[in-house]
Amino acid sequence: MSYSDSDSSSYGGDYKNFRQISRERLLYEMLRSAKTGTSKSTWKVLIMDKLTVKIMSHSCKMADITQEGVSLVEDIHRRRQPLPSMEAIYFIQPTKENVIMFLSDMSGRSPLYKKYVKKFPYYPSSPISRELVTHIKKDSTVIPRIGALREMNLEYFAIDSQGFVTDDERALEELFGDEENSRRGDACLNVMASRIATVFASLREFPLVRYRAAKSLDTMTMTTFSDLIPTKLAAGVWNCLMKYKQSIENFPQTETCDLLILDRSVDQVAPIIHEWTYDAICRDLLNMEGNKYVHEVPSKTGGPPEKKEVLLEEHDPLWLELRHAHIADASERLHEKMTSFISKNKAAQIQHSARDGGELSTKDLQKMVQALPQYSDQIDKLSLHVEIAGKINRIIRELRLRELGQLEQDLVFGDAGLKDVVKFFTTNEDVSRENKLRLLMILAAIYPEKFQGEKGQNIMKLARLQSDDITAVNNMRLLGGASDIKKSSTGAFSLKFDINKKKRAVRKDRTGEEQTWQLSRFYPMIEELIEKLGKRELPKDDYPCMNEPSPTVHAKNQSAAISQPPVAHSMRSRRTPTWARPRNSDDGYSSSDSVLRHASSDFKKMGQRIFVFIVGGATRSELRVCHKLTRKLNREIILGSTSLDDPPQFITKMKMLTVDELSLDDIQI
């Protein structure tokens, strides 16, 4: 697969997203540079470790690798059979353990792979230390057998054309759970910083590094380790970038983009609240494993239905179109597409009439066979999403999620408070345990003081939560995002007149933005932060810079902001159930496909990229916002995080936050 055949051709210019950059570097710089001559007849073995296998799988398919002459993929830590007739490519982390295994394979009279004829390329996934290079040089039999030693600087995982993770799944536990173990937290941040830095090394970008400053209630309050997470991470990334400026050829010497480092405390509500877009609600309600969805299809032999696994990813055009649409909008579009397809396709019409009780004649069967190839390919894709949308809508009705979702958003916007939650629990006793938990976690994020002492215990009893659920609610305080709320309160008098006090809001209605659907008022906090950063209105006291930018950086960004085109709003009328319509609007903005496909054909004409990194896990809603704002700000917005969490995953992590156990992951060799 040549790079010109990849998705980048649709964008034009020099623009490449994460998956394309990773694919290009892995297939071209690593695999193709290891070719011998112009023939593909020389097959190779690709040796990787656990981390680099994940990097490769996020960027390439197995077919891409085999097309480049790789016939076998091996794990460096497993016993392998000697293959002296085949060449080897090592793509591994530059750890001491990996280097020892690498030298063991290559040294001595009989290396595992092809001897002397062709050399072994060796590619660390990130910068290799001088000590390890010296260790390799000590073995005189190894040096003549190494054909290349290059640092790939690829230790991130592309999850989307505008998103990546560093695969630090335990970041919440290690950074927010145990304040005593700062050593473990520092080690976690160091690994995280080096992986973030490889993103900029791959893109040849040098960012203006900004971070959320530590905040205390007053001068007498001690600053905790978790308060300093963005500060420490920003310093770690900066140190890596300084090394890159000196060691990487053609690395920029002045700022080319923005990086804003945050942590999960910036928005405690986003990971818990029900998000109503197709992508997010699929992950929330369907118990998917990653991008894998399992559904039943009719058996070709006439037996019982068979289970089939499908991947909901960017290669599916229907998924691309619907993933950021409200579930009501997605359902309506699918209904229209199915109706249109049946009206135009003979085989679909025949099968549809058969399902309605009509019998198929011989002539009908002949027509169906003639139309079958086209029918089979299209109906499979369409019926899959019709089934998914139908299943989601059934769950919404069964769990009565519309009423719950309305209460969640009213809490966030200050239109409801504790009394409304108590009333909801007493009048809706059949609400699921998980949804009660999520509602209380939102309440704890907004009103942390109400969960202290006897009052908090009474709320928990009313909800009938189990002990691990109570732990998750109590652990919301460990994210420490309530300091701003407490700081802005009216002091002691607010306690006396609490009954008459206005309900607290953690979001303000977005003025000037139309609401397309009911239950879509909520927006992640990063939307405001990114917009302010794009306009150079983000306060430096709260979000200081690690480096002072060059004068030209401000000028470029300001000109890009001024020249941005107005965002077009669809005015298409919708045939939508009343529950999904907004209170005061019938139409408005609806994002369907990836905004990159509608953006400028040459991204070099856009403003500089904006990177946002969230320590502790990002959400689907935050990833969606980055797609939306790319078009609005005319700057490509890229979201990074330690992980991408759906609500069930985040809740599990919150339950484990105070668990302090030693595992094999904690042992560094």
Side-chain angles (χ1 to χ4, degrees), residues 601-666:
S601 62
D602 186 355
F603 268 72
K604 294 297 181 182
K605 296 177 183 177
M606 297 185 71
Q608 296 168 332
R609 286 181 171 116
I610 294 177
F611 293 81
V612 179
F613 190 88
I614 303 175
V615 181
T619 69
R620 303 280 167 182
S621 60
E622 287 164 338
L623 185 57
R624 172 179 54 81
V625 158
C626 292
H627 283 270
K628 171 186 172 182
L629 291 183
T630 289
R631 190 182 216 183
K632 182 176 180 180
L633 302 180
N634 202 32
R635 297 181 67 180
E636 186 189 2
I637 317 297
I638 298 171
L639 178 68
S641 185
T642 46
S643 58
L644 185 66
D645 295 334
D646 304 316
Q649 294 170 316
F650 180 77
I651 291 171
T652 299
K653 290 180 178 181
M654 291 303 294
K655 290 178 180 180
M656 299 294 293
L657 205 56
T658 53
V659 175
D660 187 18
E661 296 178 348
L662 182 66
S663 71
L664 292 178
D665 293 336
D666 298 318

Coordinates of all heavy atoms in Angstrom, one line a residue, residues 601-666:
S601 N -8.4 22.3 1.6 CA -7.7 21.2 1.0 C -6.2 21.2 1.4 O -5.5 20.2 1.2 CB -7.9 21.3 -0.5 OG -7.4 22.5 -1.0
D602 N -5.8 22.3 1.8 CA -4.4 22.4 2.2 C -4.3 23.0 3.6 O -4.5 24.2 3.8 CB -3.6 23.4 1.3 CG -2.1 23.4 1.6 OD1 -1.7 22.8 2.6 OD2 -1.4 24.0 0.8
F603 N -4.0 22.2 4.6 CA -4.0 22.6 6.0 C -2.9 23.6 6.4 O -2.9 24.2 7.4 CB -4.0 21.4 6.9 CG -5.3 20.9 7.3 CD1 -6.1 20.2 6.4 CD2 -5.8 21.1 8.6 CE1 -7.3 19.7 6.7 CE2 -7.1 20.6 8.9 CZ -7.8 19.9 8.0
K604 N -2.0 23.7 5.5 CA -0.9 24.7 5.7 C -1.5 26.1 5.7 O -0.9 27.1 6.2 CB 0.2 24.6 4.7 CG 1.0 23.3 4.8 CD 1.7 23.2 6.1 CE 2.5 21.9 6.2 NZ 3.2 21.7 7.5
K605 N -2.6 26.3 5.0 CA -3.3 27.6 5.0 C -4.1 27.9 6.2 O -4.5 29.0 6.4 CB -4.2 27.7 3.7 CG -3.5 27.5 2.4 CD -4.5 27.6 1.3 CE -3.8 27.4 -0.1 NZ -4.7 27.3 -1.2
M606 N -4.3 26.9 7.1 CA -5.0 27.1 8.3 C -4.1 27.7 9.4 O -2.9 27.8 9.2 CB -5.6 25.8 8.8 CG -6.6 25.2 7.9 SD -7.4 23.7 8.6 CE -8.4 24.4 9.9
G607 N -4.7 28.1 10.5 CA -3.9 28.5 11.6 C -3.1 27.4 12.2 O -3.4 26.2 11.8
Q608 N -2.2 27.7 13.1 CA -1.4 26.6 13.6 C -2.3 25.6 14.4 O -3.3 26.0 15.0 CB -0.3 27.2 14.5 CG 0.6 28.1 13.7 CD 1.5 28.9 14.6 OE1 1.1 29.3 15.7 NE2 2.7 29.3 14.1
R609 N -1.8 24.4 14.5 CA -2.5 23.4 15.3 C -2.6 23.8 16.8 O -1.7 24.4 17.3 CB -1.8 22.0 15.2 CG -1.9 21.3 13.8 CD -1.1 20.0 13.9 NE -1.4 19.2 12.7 CZ -0.5 18.8 11.8 NH1 0.8 19.2 12.0 NH2 -0.8 18.0 10.8
I610 N -3.6 23.3 17.4 CA -3.8 23.4 18.8 C -3.9 21.9 19.4 O -4.7 21.2 18.9 CB -5.1 24.1 19.2 CG1 -5.0 25.6 18.8 CG2 -5.3 24.0 20.7 CD1 -6.2 26.4 19.1
F611 N -3.0 21.6 20.3 CA -3.0 20.3 21.0 C -3.5 20.5 22.4 O -3.1 21.5 23.1 CB -1.6 19.7 21.1 CG -1.0 19.3 19.7 CD1 -0.4 20.3 18.9 CD2 -1.1 18.0 19.3 CE1 0.1 19.9 17.7 CE2 -0.5 17.6 18.1 CZ 0.1 18.6 17.3
V612 N -4.5 19.7 22.8 CA -4.9 19.7 24.2 C -4.7 18.3 24.8 O -5.1 17.3 24.2 CB -6.4 20.0 24.3 CG1 -6.9 20.0 25.7 CG2 -6.7 21.4 23.6
F613 N -4.0 18.3 25.9 CA -3.7 17.0 26.5 C -4.4 16.9 27.9 O -4.2 17.9 28.7 CB -2.2 16.7 26.7 CG -1.9 15.3 27.1 CD1 -1.8 14.3 26.1 CD2 -1.8 14.9 28.4 CE1 -1.6 13.0 26.5 CE2 -1.6 13.6 28.8 CZ -1.4 12.6 27.9
I614 N -5.2 15.9 28.2 CA -5.9 15.8 29.5 C -5.3 14.6 30.2 O -5.4 13.4 29.7 CB -7.4 15.6 29.2 CG1 -8.0 16.8 28.4 CG2 -8.1 15.4 30.6 CD1 -9.4 16.6 28.1
V615 N -4.8 14.8 31.4 CA -4.2 13.7 32.2 C -5.4 13.1 33.0 O -6.2 13.8 33.6 CB -3.2 14.2 33.2 CG1 -2.7 13.1 34.1 CG2 -2.1 15.0 32.5
G616 N -5.5 11.8 32.9 CA -6.6 11.1 33.7 C -7.8 10.7 32.8 O -8.8 10.2 33.3
G617 N -7.6 10.7 31.5 CA -8.7 10.2 30.6 C -9.5 11.3 30.0 O -10.0 12.2 30.6
A618 N -9.7 11.1 28.6 CA -10.6 12.0 27.9 C -11.9 11.3 27.6 O -12.0 10.1 27.8 CB -9.9 12.5 26.6
T619 N -12.9 12.1 27.1 CA -14.2 11.5 26.8 C -14.5 11.7 25.3 O -13.9 12.4 24.6 CB -15.3 12.2 27.6 OG1 -15.4 13.6 27.1 CG2 -14.9 12.3 29.1
R620 N -15.5 10.9 24.9 CA -16.0 11.0 23.5 C -16.5 12.5 23.2 O -16.3 13.0 22.1 CB -17.1 10.0 23.2 CG -16.8 8.6 23.5 CD -16.0 8.0 22.4 NE -15.4 6.7 22.8 CZ -14.6 6.0 22.1 NH1 -14.3 6.3 20.9 NH2 -14.1 4.8 22.6
S621 N -17.2 13.1 24.2 CA -17.7 14.4 23.9 C -16.5 15.4 23.7 O -16.6 16.3 22.9 CB -18.5 14.9 25.1 OG -17.8 14.9 26.3
E622 N -15.4 15.2 24.4 CA -14.3 16.1 24.2 C -13.6 15.9 22.9 O -13.1 16.9 22.2 CB -13.3 15.9 25.4 CG -13.8 16.5 26.7 CD -13.1 15.9 27.9 OE1 -12.5 14.9 27.9 OE2 -13.2 16.6 29.0
L623 N -13.6 14.7 22.4 CA -13.0 14.4 21.1 C -13.9 15.0 20.0 O -13.5 15.6 19.0 CB -12.9 12.9 20.9 CG -12.3 12.4 19.6 CD1 -10.9 13.0 19.4 CD2 -12.2 10.9 19.5
R624 N -15.3 14.9 20.2 CA -16.2 15.5 19.3 C -16.0 17.0 19.2 O -16.1 17.6 18.1 CB -17.6 15.2 19.7 CG -18.7 15.9 18.9 CD -20.1 15.5 19.3 NE -20.3 15.6 20.7 CZ -20.6 16.8 21.3 NH1 -20.7 17.9 20.6 NH2 -20.8 16.8 22.6
V625 N -15.8 17.7 20.3 CA -15.6 19.1 20.4 C -14.4 19.5 19.5 O -14.4 20.5 18.9 CB -15.5 19.6 21.8 CG1 -14.7 20.9 21.9 CG2 -16.8 19.7 22.5
C626 N -13.3 18.7 19.6 CA -12.1 19.0 18.8 C -12.4 19.0 17.3 O -11.9 19.8 16.5 CB -11.0 18.1 19.1 SG -10.4 18.3 20.8
H627 N -13.3 18.1 16.8 CA -13.7 18.0 15.4 C -14.5 19.3 15.1 O -14.3 19.9 14.1 CB -14.5 16.8 15.2 CG -13.7 15.5 15.0 ND1 -13.2 15.1 13.8 CD2 -13.3 14.6 15.9 CE1 -12.5 14.0 14.0 NE2 -12.5 13.7 15.3
K628 N -15.4 19.6 16.0 CA -16.3 20.8 15.7 C -15.5 22.1 15.7 O -15.7 22.9 14.8 CB -17.3 20.8 16.8 CG -18.2 22.1 16.9 CD -19.1 22.1 18.1 CE -19.8 23.4 18.2 NZ -20.6 23.5 19.5
L629 N -14.6 22.3 16.6 CA -13.8 23.5 16.7 C -12.8 23.7 15.6 O -12.4 24.8 15.3 CB -13.2 23.7 18.1 CG -14.2 23.9 19.2 CD1 -13.4 24.1 20.6 CD2 -15.1 25.1 19.0
T630 N -12.3 22.6 15.1 CA -11.4 22.7 13.9 C -12.0 23.5 12.8 O -11.3 24.4 12.2 CB -11.0 21.3 13.4 OG1 -10.2 20.6 14.4 CG2 -10.3 21.3 12.1
R631 N -13.2 23.3 12.5 CA -13.9 24.0 11.5 C -14.2 25.5 11.9 O -14.0 26.4 11.2 CB -15.2 23.3 11.1 CG -15.8 23.9 9.8 CD -17.1 23.1 9.5 NE -17.3 23.0 8.1 CZ -18.4 22.4 7.6 NH1 -19.3 21.9 8.4 NH2 -18.5 22.3 6.3
K632 N -14.7 25.6 13.2 CA -15.1 26.9 13.7 C -13.9 27.9 13.8 O -14.1 29.0 13.4 CB -15.8 26.7 15.0 CG -16.3 28.0 15.6 CD -17.1 27.7 16.9 CE -17.6 29.0 17.5 NZ -18.4 28.8 18.8
L633 N -12.8 27.4 14.3 CA -11.6 28.2 14.5 C -10.7 28.3 13.4 O -9.7 29.0 13.4 CB -10.9 27.8 15.8 CG -11.7 27.7 17.1 CD1 -10.8 27.3 18.2 CD2 -12.2 29.1 17.4
N634 N -10.9 27.4 12.4 CA -10.0 27.3 11.2 C -8.6 26.9 11.7 O -7.6 27.3 11.1 CB -10.0 28.6 10.4 CG -9.5 28.4 9.0 OD1 -9.8 27.3 8.4 ND2 -8.8 29.4 8.4
R635 N -8.5 26.1 12.7 CA -7.3 25.6 13.2 C -7.5 24.1 13.6 O -8.5 23.8 14.2 CB -6.8 26.4 14.5 CG -6.5 27.8 14.2 CD -6.0 28.5 15.5 NE -4.7 28.0 15.9 CZ -4.0 28.5 17.0 NH1 -4.6 29.4 17.7 NH2 -2.9 28.0 17.3
E636 N -6.6 23.3 13.2 CA -6.8 21.9 13.5 C -6.6 21.6 15.0 O -5.5 21.9 15.6 CB -5.8 21.0 12.7 CG -6.0 19.5 12.9 CD -4.9 18.7 12.3 OE1 -4.0 19.3 11.7 OE2 -5.0 17.5 12.3
I637 N -7.6 21.1 15.7 CA -7.5 20.8 17.1 C -7.3 19.3 17.3 O -8.0 18.5 16.8 CB -8.9 21.2 17.8 CG1 -9.4 22.5 17.3 CG2 -8.7 21.2 19.3 CD1 -8.5 23.7 17.6
I638 N -6.3 19.0 18.1 CA -5.9 17.6 18.3 C -6.0 17.3 19.8 O -5.4 18.0 20.6 CB -4.5 17.3 17.8 CG1 -4.5 17.5 16.3 CG2 -4.1 15.8 18.1 CD1 -3.1 17.4 15.7
L639 N -6.7 16.2 20.2 CA -6.9 15.9 21.6 C -6.0 14.7 21.9 O -6.0 13.7 21.2 CB -8.4 15.5 21.8 CG -8.7 15.0 23.3 CD1 -8.5 16.2 24.2 CD2 -10.1 14.5 23.3
G640 N -5.3 14.8 23.0 CA -4.5 13.7 23.5 C -4.9 13.5 25.0 O -5.4 14.4 25.7
S641 N -4.7 12.3 25.4 CA -5.0 11.9 26.8 C -4.2 10.6 27.2 O -3.7 10.0 26.3 CB -6.5 11.8 27.0 OG -6.8 11.5 28.4
T642 N -4.3 10.3 28.5 CA -3.7 9.1 28.9 C -4.5 7.9 28.5 O -4.0 6.8 28.3 CB -3.6 9.1 30.5 OG1 -4.9 9.6 31.0 CG2 -2.5 10.1 30.9
S643 N -5.8 8.1 28.3 CA -6.8 7.1 27.8 C -8.0 7.8 27.3 O -8.2 8.9 27.5 CB -7.1 6.1 29.0 OG -7.7 6.8 30.1
L644 N -8.8 7.0 26.6 CA -10.1 7.5 26.2 C -11.2 6.6 26.9 O -11.3 5.4 26.6 CB -10.3 7.4 24.7 CG -11.6 8.0 24.1 CD1 -11.6 9.5 24.2 CD2 -11.7 7.7 22.6
D645 N -11.9 7.2 27.8 CA -12.8 6.5 28.7 C -14.2 6.7 28.4 O -14.7 7.9 28.2 CB -12.5 6.8 30.2 CG -11.1 6.4 30.6 OD1 -10.6 5.5 30.0 OD2 -10.6 7.1 31.5
D646 N -15.0 5.7 28.4 CA -16.5 5.7 28.4 C -16.9 5.7 29.8 O -16.2 5.3 30.7 CB -17.0 4.6 27.6 CG -16.5 4.5 26.2 OD1 -16.4 5.6 25.5 OD2 -16.1 3.4 25.7
P647 N -18.2 6.2 30.1 CA -18.6 6.3 31.5 C -18.4 5.0 32.3 O -17.9 5.1 33.5 CB -20.1 6.6 31.4 CG -20.2 7.4 30.1 CD -19.2 6.7 29.2
P648 N -18.7 3.8 31.9 CA -18.5 2.6 32.7 C -17.0 2.5 33.1 O -16.7 2.1 34.2 CB -19.0 1.5 31.8 CG -20.0 2.1 30.9 CD -19.4 3.4 30.6
Q649 N -16.1 2.8 32.1 CA -14.7 2.7 32.4 C -14.2 3.7 33.4 O -13.4 3.4 34.3 CB -13.9 2.9 31.1 CG -14.1 1.8 30.1 CD -13.5 2.1 28.7 OE1 -13.6 3.3 28.2 NE2 -12.8 1.2 28.1
F650 N -14.7 4.9 33.3 CA -14.3 6.0 34.2 C -14.8 5.6 35.6 O -14.1 5.8 36.6 CB -14.9 7.3 33.8 CG -14.5 8.5 34.7 CD1 -13.3 9.0 34.6 CD2 -15.5 8.9 35.6 CE1 -13.0 10.1 35.5 CE2 -15.2 10.0 36.4 CZ -13.9 10.6 36.4
I651 N -16.1 5.1 35.7 CA -16.6 4.8 37.1 C -15.8 3.7 37.7 O -15.5 3.7 38.9 CB -18.1 4.4 36.9 CG1 -18.9 5.6 36.5 CG2 -18.6 3.8 38.2 CD1 -20.4 5.2 36.1
T652 N -15.4 2.7 36.9 CA -14.5 1.6 37.5 C -13.2 2.2 38.0 O -12.8 1.8 39.1 CB -14.2 0.6 36.4 OG1 -15.5 0.0 35.9 CG2 -13.3 -0.5 36.9
K653 N -12.6 3.1 37.3 CA -11.4 3.7 37.7 C -11.6 4.5 39.0 O -10.7 4.5 39.9 CB -10.8 4.6 36.6 CG -10.3 3.8 35.4 CD -9.7 4.7 34.4 CE -9.1 3.9 33.2 NZ -8.5 4.8 32.2
M654 N -12.7 5.2 39.1 CA -13.0 6.0 40.3 C -13.2 5.1 41.5 O -12.8 5.4 42.7 CB -14.2 6.9 40.1 CG -14.1 8.0 39.1 SD -12.7 9.1 39.6 CE -13.3 9.8 41.1
K655 N -13.7 3.9 41.3 CA -13.9 2.9 42.4 C -12.5 2.4 42.9 O -12.4 2.1 44.1 CB -14.8 1.8 42.0 CG -16.2 2.1 41.8 CD -17.0 0.9 41.3 CE -18.5 1.3 41.1 NZ -19.3 0.2 40.6
M656 N -11.6 2.4 42.0 CA -10.2 1.8 42.3 C -9.3 2.9 42.7 O -8.1 2.6 43.0 CB -9.7 1.1 41.1 CG -10.5 -0.1 40.6 SD -10.5 -1.4 41.8 CE -8.8 -1.9 41.7
L657 N -9.7 4.1 42.8 CA -8.8 5.2 43.0 C -8.0 5.2 44.3 O -6.8 5.5 44.3 CB -9.6 6.5 43.0 CG -8.8 7.8 42.5 CD1 -8.2 7.6 41.2 CD2 -9.7 9.0 42.5
T658 N -8.5 4.6 45.3 CA -7.8 4.6 46.6 C -7.1 3.3 46.9 O -6.5 3.1 47.9 CB -8.8 4.9 47.8 OG1 -9.9 4.0 47.7 CG2 -9.2 6.3 47.7
V659 N -7.3 2.3 45.9 CA -6.6 1.0 46.1 C -5.1 1.2 45.9 O -4.7 1.8 44.9 CB -7.2 0.0 45.1 CG1 -6.4 -1.3 45.2 CG2 -8.7 -0.2 45.3
D660 N -4.3 0.7 46.8 CA -2.9 0.8 46.8 C -2.2 -0.6 46.8 O -1.9 -1.1 47.9 CB -2.4 1.7 47.9 CG -0.9 2.0 47.8 OD1 -0.3 1.8 46.7 OD2 -0.3 2.4 48.8
E661 N -2.1 -1.2 45.7 CA -1.5 -2.5 45.6 C -0.3 -2.5 44.6 O -0.3 -1.7 43.6 CB -2.5 -3.5 45.0 CG -3.7 -3.7 46.0 CD -4.8 -4.7 45.4 OE1 -4.6 -5.0 44.2 OE2 -5.6 -5.1 46.1
L662 N 0.6 -3.3 44.9 CA 1.8 -3.4 44.1 C 1.5 -4.4 43.0 O 1.1 -5.5 43.3 CB 3.0 -3.8 44.9 CG 4.4 -3.9 44.1 CD1 4.8 -2.6 43.6 CD2 5.4 -4.6 45.0
S663 N 1.8 -4.0 41.7 CA 1.6 -5.0 40.6 C 2.9 -5.0 39.8 O 3.8 -4.3 40.0 CB 0.4 -4.5 39.7 OG 0.8 -3.4 39.0
L664 N 2.9 -5.9 38.9 CA 4.1 -6.1 38.0 C 4.4 -4.8 37.2 O 5.5 -4.6 36.8 CB 3.9 -7.3 37.1 CG 3.9 -8.7 37.8 CD1 3.6 -9.7 36.7 CD2 5.2 -8.9 38.5
D665 N 3.3 -4.0 36.9 CA 3.5 -2.8 36.2 C 4.3 -1.8 36.9 O 4.9 -0.9 36.4 CB 2.1 -2.2 35.8 CG 1.3 -3.0 34.9 OD1 2.0 -3.8 34.2 OD2 0.1 -2.9 34.9
D666 N 4.3 -1.9 38.3 CA 5.1 -1.0 39.1 C 6.6 -1.3 39.1 O 7.4 -0.4 39.5 CB 4.6 -1.0 40.5 CG 3.1 -0.6 40.6 OD1 2.7 0.4 39.9 OD2 2.4 -1.2 41.4

